[in-house]
């Protein structure tokens, strides 16, 4: 299979590194696995015979790759190249209009190219449209990395709860706010100081409101509701309250009655993101930058998954999606 | 629906069996029986039954039949399942408004306040709420908090 990677940042690079590290496992599924193109906002490198991944990982800028660099070339050109089978899309998240990722995904899916992404934006803006494009194009659209990082929530439901109906989902879906609230809970820190600490540790978005006002968590709620509960939910449908008003006093009062205050996303009768009281012995009550997703299924009952919601662990989710496509293509070929 | 059905039986053998018949006939499922034989008064023994009936109508029919059989009815009322609910409110808030949220049978069983005078006053309230009305109560609290400019933290 011929792969293109759009976005050569933290995730794009990490995925290429993972391709290299797991080369043997990949070859077992597909002897002809090749990364033929990689792009960022300034240009792309392309080689129809497959790029040298070791070299690629070594460069600071795509333009330093020894051959095939096209300055000013766009990801759309790569998508149009002959013989591309799968696109890994890892450009920045934009929840207003989903761009640039949305255009890339539409194009790819229309051409029958499988899409694996960690970018929430396009899915928040146009989930059902992209899903039907994938269906029409006879290709897969996989997005495990978009919600709760390395936690395999979509794979779990797709593979292991095939007969179940998901009745309710709740989750701690933003590691930054969970870090802040955990500092307040355990160290008695104020919100402002805990936020500053998170910023110093580099775990906040440039615009902290994305985390602390629950925007990021709300995006994840939208994707979960659409993907796992077959709802038709848009960002505006999520009732959203962030954690700015959560005071140290509130955290202490909660703690004294054996609750922790957590920013929880819920898909139920109401669809909301809000600070909630989580009993300290509840499986959702995880601390630090951990995420947790709690689902209630009609047959399986309650299941909770806990893991890292962002950072390098996310690469695991993207790689697994790529392997899932390779596997099903290998099966098709017999 | 569960009901407390307390009747007065004559302290003679066979009375209880007799009284159970109309309950069964009207679709009642007996959950428990407390027979207080130590406390007869005027030859009557109070017997407290917890009965699960499909509806209040079944209870009424049972009560009518028991009366016709000459059995005294001490109490016949629904047992309301209650749940303990903890909420925290951030911002100034009038406690009374929660108790009068328009949901029946809510009881405040405890509370703790910090910084009552400031704008980030913080209030933890423990309530007993009929289990069937928990969602309704939380909706009402949320509405009231919004009206008062406070933030409601409810349990998951
Ligand atoms: N980092 C995480 O832990 C994490 C976890 C889960 C999900 N995600 C999501 O994964 C995606 C990628 O995250 P990241 O951390 O890798 O971001 P990043 O480090 O900022 O990288 C983004 C990459 O996209 C490129 N890009 C921007 N516009 C482009 C365009 N029009 N065409 C082609 N490439 C373009 C950027 O190129 P330039 O360098 O030229 O601008 C950069 O290489 C985001 O949507 C993010 O929300 C990230």
């Amino acid at each position: 299979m011929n792969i293109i990677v759009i976005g050569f940042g933290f995730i794009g690079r990490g995925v290429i590194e993972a391709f290299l590290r797991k080369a043997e496992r990949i070859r077992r599924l597909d002897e002809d696995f090749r990364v033929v193109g990689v792009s960022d906002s300034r240009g792309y490198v392309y080689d129809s015979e497959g790029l040298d991944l070791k070299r690629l990982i070594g460069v600071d800028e795509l333009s330093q790759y020894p051959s095939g660099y096209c300055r000013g070339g766009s990801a759309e050109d790569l998508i149009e190249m002959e013989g591309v089978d799968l696109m890994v899309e890892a450009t920045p998240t934009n929840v207003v209009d989903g761009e640039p990722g949305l255009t890339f995904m539409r194009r790819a899916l229309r051409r029958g190219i499988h899409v694996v992404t960690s970018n929430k934006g396009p899915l928040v803006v146009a989930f059902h449209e992209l899903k039907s494009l994938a269906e029409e194009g006879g290709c897969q659209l996989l997005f495990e990395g978009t919600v709760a990082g390395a936690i395999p929530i979509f794979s779990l439901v797709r593979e292991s709860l095939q007969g179940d109906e998901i009745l309710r989902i709740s989750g701690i879906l933003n590691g930054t706010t969970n870090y802040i609230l955990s500092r307040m809970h355990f160290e008695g820190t104020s919100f402002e100081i805990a936020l500053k600490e998170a910023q110093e540790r580099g775990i906040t978005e440039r615009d902290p409101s994305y985390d602390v006002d629950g925007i990021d968590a709300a995006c994840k709620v939208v994707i979960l509701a659409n993907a796992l509960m077959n709802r038709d939910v848009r960002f505006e449908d999520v009732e959203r309250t962030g954690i700015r008003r959560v005071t140290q006093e509130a955290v202490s009062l909660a703690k004294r009655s054996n609750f922790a205050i957590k920013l929880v996303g819920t898909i139920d009768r109401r669809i909301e993101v809000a600070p909630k009281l989580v009993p300290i012995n509840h499986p959702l009550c995880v601390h630090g930058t951990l995420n947790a997703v709690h689902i209630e299924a009609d047959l399986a009952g309650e299941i909770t998954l806990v893991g890292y919601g962002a950072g390098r662990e996310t690469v695991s989710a993207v790689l697994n999606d790529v392997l899932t496509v390779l596997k099903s293509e290998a099966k098709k070929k017999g | 629906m569960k009901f407390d059905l307390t009747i007065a039986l004559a302290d003679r053998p066979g009375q209880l069996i007799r009284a159970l018949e109309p309950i069964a006939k009207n679709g009642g499922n007996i959950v428990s029986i407390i027979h207080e034989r130590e406390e007869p008064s005027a030859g009557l023994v109070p017997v407290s039954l917890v009965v699960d009936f499909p509806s209040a109508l079944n209870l009424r029919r049972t009560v009518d039949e028991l009366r016709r059989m000459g059995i005294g009815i001490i109490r016949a009322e629904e047992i309301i399942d209650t749940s303990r609910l903890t909420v925290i409110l951030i911002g100034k808030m009038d406690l009374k408004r929660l108790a009068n949220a328009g949901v029946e049978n809510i009881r405040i069983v405890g509370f703790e306040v910090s910084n009552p005078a400031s704008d980030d006053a913080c209030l933890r309230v423990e309530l007993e709420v009929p289990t069937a009305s928990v969602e309704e109560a939380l909706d009402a609290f949320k509405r009231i908090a919004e009206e008062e400019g406070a933030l409601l933290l409810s349990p998951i």
Side-chain angles (χ1 to χ4, degrees):
Chain A
M1 291 236 291
N2 292 333
I3 318 296
I4 56 175
V5 178
I6 312 302
F8 191 53
F10 184 79
I11 298 290
R13 244 175 215 280
V15 168
I16 291 170
E17 254 173 60
F19 287 162
L20 206 56
R21 242 177 94 184
K22 307 286 177 175
E24 211 171 300
R25 177 170 299 242
I26 293 172
R27 292 251 175 277
R28 253 182 277 147
L29 286 172
D30 177 14
E31 284 181 7
D32 300 320
F33 181 90
R34 278 190 296 249
V35 178
V36 294
V38 178
S39 91
D40 62 16
S41 70
R42 288 152 287 172
Y44 64 73
V45 288
Y46 177 77
D47 184 342
S48 60
E49 296 301 309
L51 297 162
D52 180 341
L53 301 188
K54 229 181 224 149
R55 278 228 156 118
L56 198 53
I57 286 309
V59 303
D60 293 328
E61 299 260 340
L62 284 179
S63 60
Q64 294 165 359
Y65 188 78
S67 61
Y69 182 65
C70 174
R71 188 177 303 280
S74 119
E76 292 176 61
D77 304 337
L78 276 186
I79 296 167
E80 299 296 326
M81 297 285 186
E82 258 318 293
V84 174
D85 301 300
L86 187 156
M87 170 174 85
V88 174
E89 211 283 346
T91 63
T93 289
N94 162 353
V95 298
V96 179
D97 63 8
E99 297 299 353
L102 182 55
T103 298
F104 301 156
M105 289 187 199
R106 281 189 181 127
R107 279 222 169 189
L109 294 171
R110 285 205 181 101
R111 284 178 62 82
I113 297 172
H114 303 291
V115 172
V116 167
T117 189
S118 60
N119 176 2
K120 291 175 284 296
L123 296 165
V124 170
V125 173
F127 186 88
H128 291 291
E129 181 205 330
L130 291 172
K131 262 301 199 200
S132 12
L133 280 179
E135 230 158 75
E136 287 158 25
C139 48
Q140 300 195 53
L141 167 64
L142 298 176
F143 41 84
E144 190 66 78
T146 57
V147 176
I151 297 179
I153 177 71
F154 299 111
S155 312
L156 176 88
V157 174
R158 190 174 61 235
E159 299 297 327
S160 310
L161 295 173
Q162 297 187 47
D164 276 78
E165 186 187 341
I166 307 299
L167 306 172
R168 187 168 182 278
I169 302 179
S170 52
I172 295 178
L173 303 170
N174 179 271
T176 308
T177 46
N178 205 34
Y179 174 83
I180 293 172
L181 292 170
S182 299
R183 295 292 291 171
M184 293 171 75
H185 184 88
F186 289 106
E187 314 295 334
T189 320
S190 70
F191 169 77
E192 289 76 18
I193 290 180
L195 171 60
K196 206 167 272 165
E197 282 177 2
Q199 284 170 323
E200 275 159 16
R201 288 189 43 169
I203 55 172
T204 47
E205 297 285 335
R206 242 163 271 152
D207 172 8
S209 114
Y210 195 69
D211 295 313
V212 298
D213 294 327
I215 298 171
D216 175 62
C219 289
K220 290 161 176 169
V221 160
V222 170
I223 299 175
L224 286 169
N226 287 321
L228 299 183
M229 294 173 75
N230 219 357
R231 305 250 190 128
D232 190 2
V233 174
R234 284 169 317 156
F235 183 77
E236 307 79 70
D237 300 331
V238 184
E239 288 177 53
R240 177 168 55 86
T241 311
I243 63 164
R244 283 185 205 269
R245 285 192 72 185
V246 176
T247 55
Q248 176 39 209
E249 282 74 24
V251 171
S252 307
L253 272 184
K255 193 174 175 177
R256 281 206 287 283
S257 40
N258 293 323
F259 289 102
I261 298 179
K262 300 284 179 192
L263 184 66
V264 178
T266 313
I267 310 157
D268 194 4
R269 194 171 56 102
R270 32 159 76 100
I271 301 177
E272 70 170 337
V273 169
K276 295 261 170 186
L277 302 175
V278 180
I280 51 170
N281 57 4
H282 191 279
L284 258 192
C285 199
V286 300
H287 305 291
T289 56
L290 281 173
N291 282 24
V293 186
H294 184 76
I295 61 178
E296 286 173 38
D298 62 344
L299 301 179
E302 301 183 37
I303 298 177
T304 308
L305 303 179
V306 176
Y308 287 102
R312 56 176 56 260
E313 289 82 1
T314 307
V315 166
S316 156
V318 180
L319 181 65
N320 188 67
D321 281 348
V322 171
L323 295 180
T324 301
V325 175
L326 294 185
K327 221 176 220 170
S328 66
E329 289 300 297
K331 220 182 224 165
K332 266 194 220 160
K333 281 189 195 139
Chain B
M1 290 165 98
K2 289 204 187 87
F3 296 89
D4 169 1
L5 178 57
T6 301
I7 53 184
L9 291 182
D11 194 10
R12 286 198 306 269
Q15 292 308 298
L16 180 57
I17 296 284
R18 211 178 131 237
L20 296 185
E21 212 184 59
I23 296 176
K25 211 177 80 194
N26 284 293
N29 190 11
I30 294 170
V31 180
S32 69
I33 301 181
I34 302 171
H35 196 178
E36 289 165 28
R37 295 213 52 201
E38 305 81 51
E39 296 174 35
S41 80
L44 292 174
V45 183
V47 177
S48 286
L49 300 135
V50 174
V51 189
D52 199 349
F53 280 113
S55 77
L57 184 65
N58 304 69
L59 172 79
R60 270 203 306 279
R61 286 192 181 133
T62 308
V63 167
D64 290 347
E65 273 182 54
L66 289 170
R67 284 209 174 102
R68 258 181 267 133
M69 291 160 71
I71 295 174
I73 308 292
I74 299 171
R75 238 183 348 265
E77 61 195 27
E78 192 183 347
I79 299 171
I80 298 171
D81 256 347
T82 60
S83 297
R84 240 335 151 84
L85 194 62
T86 302
V87 298
I88 287 182
L89 290 134
I90 303 172
K92 268 189 225 145
M93 185 72 203
D94 183 359
L95 200 55
K96 270 190 239 124
R97 287 205 65 188
L98 290 192
N100 303 326
V103 182
E104 270 174 59
N105 298 314
I106 289 187
R107 235 160 44 91
I108 293 180
V109 293
F111 67 93
E112 187 179 348
V113 194
S114 69
N115 284 353
S118 87
D119 271 345
D120 17 293
C122 200
L123 177 62
R124 190 189 69 220
V125 192
E126 317 270 347
L127 302 118
E128 239 170 44
V129 179
T131 306
S133 316
V134 167
E135 304 249 344
E136 188 195 340
L138 285 173
D139 283 350
F141 296 166
K142 191 171 179 197
R143 205 183 48 243
I144 293 168
E146 270 162 20
E147 282 167 19
E148 302 257 322
L151 175 63
L152 174 83
L153 306 184
S154 54
I156 56 165

